[in-house]
Amino acid sequence: MKTGLILEGGAMRGLFSAGVTDVFMENGIDFDGLIGVSAGAAFGCNYKSRQPGRTIRYNINYSKDPRYCSFRSLIKTGDLYGADFCYRELPEKLDIFDNDAFETNPMEFHVVCTDVNTGKGVYKKFEVSDNNFYEWIRASASMPLASKIVHVDGYSLLDGGIADSIPLKHFESIGFSKNVVILTQPEGYVKKKNPLMPIMKIALRKYPNAVQAMADRHLNYNAALEYVRERESSGNAFIIRPEIPLNIGKIEHDQDKMRRVYEYGRLVGERELERVIEFLNK
């Protein structure tokens, strides 16, 4: 029976998940596979590289660097989060990503993106952390209107959350039958229709299937939440979620807010640690 860890996105809400997963890593909890969406992919790769603390460290250290995330970057490059800085200079020079640890860790690592031509999810497994890997991570976290479409391996891709925000069904379909799911919204959250849809329709008018996927995203997200609850009730999934709204922006430069969300994630991770170990060892 393969165990899986599923990380939804949510931009800076992903710091909550980083806090939880750092506690897991520090306590030697291993999974057979991890699948991340958007920030869940960008931050979750540090689990496979066995680098607790890296996510919060670089987010704090570069939170006010315009090369990392700024409207200046959006205007100059078309990407709110600077592609060259975030996916090349940062992991290669400034806060080095441990490629050797990533590649020797037997845990599978999967990324979810959205194909803008079909509006469907694309699921990619990685065993090495090369330039191709970083492009897929970037694609998974490329929010509509805030990022350019990423062209890689013959695909045209945007944020994985458009098509599949919580890929529990997918992970089960490929053999991961016992899963821990980390959500970034509290119980009772209901996603509403995106108020920016009129702008989306104009910006992505060449990609009608992507526009339709974004129009339906709230319906699919809420259905995914219901499925998560069903699997939790049946004992096939263990769900970790914040008890309260995290109150942090998708774009965030306030270091105190970042620390607060991360430390809250650690608190929840420590509180749930024994129950997670018990669940995985059943």
Side-chain angles (χ1 to χ4, degrees):
M1 181 178 292
K2 292 202 295 185
T3 60
L5 178 62
I6 296 163
L7 304 178
E8 81 158 317
M12 285 297 110
R13 294 199 311 272
L15 291 174
F16 168 81
S17 304
V20 176
T21 55
D22 279 359
V23 169
F24 286 2
M25 280 190 275
E26 291 162 4
N27 285 273
I29 296 181
D30 292 320
F31 294 87
D32 296 310
L34 182 157
I35 187 166
V37 184
S38 195
F43 298 165
C45 61
N46 296 299
Y47 206 119
K48 185 169 169 63
S49 67
R50 303 185 190 278
Q51 291 179 279
R54 182 172 180 268
T55 295
I56 186 61
R57 183 173 63 241
Y58 73 69
N59 274 286
I60 292 291
N61 288 345
Y62 299 102
S63 61
K64 297 181 181 180
D65 191 320
R67 297 172 299 170
Y68 182 54
C69 175
S70 67
F71 285 105
R72 187 179 85 180
S73 174
L74 179 62
I75 293 168
K76 288 181 65 176
T77 71
D79 289 304
L80 185 67
Y81 285 86
D84 286 336
F85 184 79
C86 293
Y87 299 99
R88 292 177 183 82
E89 187 170 355
L90 180 56
E92 294 175 2
K93 298 177 181 178
L94 301 176
D95 197 321
I96 296 174
F97 185 73
D98 194 333
N99 296 302
D100 290 340
F102 182 93
E103 292 170 13
T104 57
N105 185 343
M107 181 182 73
E108 294 182 17
F109 183 77
H110 300 248
V111 170
V112 185
C113 299
T114 299
D115 184 334
V116 296
N117 289 304
T118 66
K120 304 295 184 182
V122 181
Y123 306 88
K124 182 78 170 179
K125 176 183 172 183
F126 283 95
E127 297 176 351
V128 297
S129 49
D130 55 10
N131 288 336
N132 185 262
F133 161 78
Y134 287 117
E135 284 298 280
W136 278 86
I137 293 284
R138 179 164 76 94
S140 183
S142 289
M143 298 179 289
L145 303 182
S147 311
K148 294 184 295 186
I149 292 170
V150 178
H151 302 282
V152 57
D153 291 342
Y155 291 100
S156 298
L157 304 170
L158 279 177
D159 195 307
I162 299 169
D164 194 353
S165 296
I166 311 170
L168 176 57
K169 278 188 178 180
H170 171 76
F171 232 31
E172 289 178 337
S173 75
I174 60 173
F176 293 89
S177 53
K178 183 179 286 190
N179 294 289
V180 174
V181 183
I182 303 181
L183 304 176
T184 59
Q185 296 283 13
E187 176 62 37
Y189 173 79
V190 177
K191 195 170 190 65
K192 297 179 180 178
K193 188 172 182 177
N194 191 330
L196 297 178
M197 278 310 302
I199 301 174
M200 297 279 191
K201 289 178 180 178
I202 296 171
L204 292 171
R205 58 191 177 277
K206 295 181 180 179
Y207 305 99
N209 290 325
V211 171
Q212 188 61 53
M214 283 185 277
D216 293 338
R217 186 181 179 189
H218 65 298
L219 302 174
N220 294 329
Y221 183 87
N222 294 332
L225 281 180
E226 185 57 36
Y227 183 74
V228 165
R229 294 187 191 101
E230 291 173 6
R231 301 306 282 167
E232 181 180 30
S233 296
S234 67
N236 296 102
F238 189 97
I239 314 305
I240 295 176
R241 52 172 74 83
E243 295 178 345
I244 56 175
L246 295 176
N247 294 325
I248 189 168
K250 287 187 175 182
I251 306 162
E252 188 58 72
H253 301 290
D254 188 323
Q255 297 175 350
D256 290 336
K257 286 186 179 181
M258 291 182 178
R259 289 191 186 95
R260 172 183 57 78
V261 171
Y262 171 77
E263 291 298 335
Y264 177 52
R266 288 192 62 91
L267 179 68
V268 172
E270 289 165 356
R271 185 188 67 201
E272 298 288 2
L273 187 61
E274 289 188 9
R275 294 178 63 212
V276 169
I277 293 172
E278 181 182 357
F279 170 77
L280 293 173
N281 290 334
K282 281 182 182 177

